[in-house]
Amino acid sequence: MRCVIARFSFDLIKDEVEKSMSGVKPEAVTEASVTIGRKQYPVKQVGAIITGQDRRDFTTTEVVRALTRLGFTCHPAPTPSPTL
């Protein structure tokens, strides 16, 4: 599937995204995330790996849109728990 992330065009395939993320340890989820296999990754971590771009070069929304179109399940940012 062709998609545009940070003004660059990428041809992404679900199997290739899964292969790219295999063996990658998920960072702590503090913002939007995506489930790949049995693991939940921050969207920005996945975006950086599959595009080779710096995380500051693209938005979370761009990557969520692309991953959703590929058939991955994306999750919104977790709500902060209230402190007492």
Side-chain angles (χ1 to χ4, degrees):
M1 176 198 75
R2 182 166 289 252
C3 63
V4 176
I5 299 174
R7 298 180 316 268
F8 291 98
S9 184
F10 295 93
D11 286 319
L12 299 176
I13 300 170
K14 186 173 183 175
D15 291 342
E16 290 179 5
V17 172
E18 290 171 339
K19 284 180 188 176
S20 295
M21 296 309 296
S22 68
V24 175
K25 182 179 178 185
E27 296 173 358
V29 174
T30 58
E31 56 182 44
S33 62
V34 59
T35 301
I36 299 177
R38 295 186 199 168
K39 298 178 183 175
Q40 195 167 350
Y41 295 90
V43 169
K44 288 276 196 165
Q45 179 183 12
V46 175
I49 290 171
I50 64 175
T51 67
Q53 296 178 320
D54 188 284
R55 295 174 191 208
R56 296 172 292 184
D57 293 341
F58 54 85
T59 66
T60 299
T61 304
E62 291 174 304
V63 180
V64 166
R65 186 179 313 123
L67 293 172
T68 300
R69 286 179 58 202
L70 284 173
F72 291 105
T73 303
C74 294
H75 312 279
T79 56
S81 58
T83 57
L84 299 176

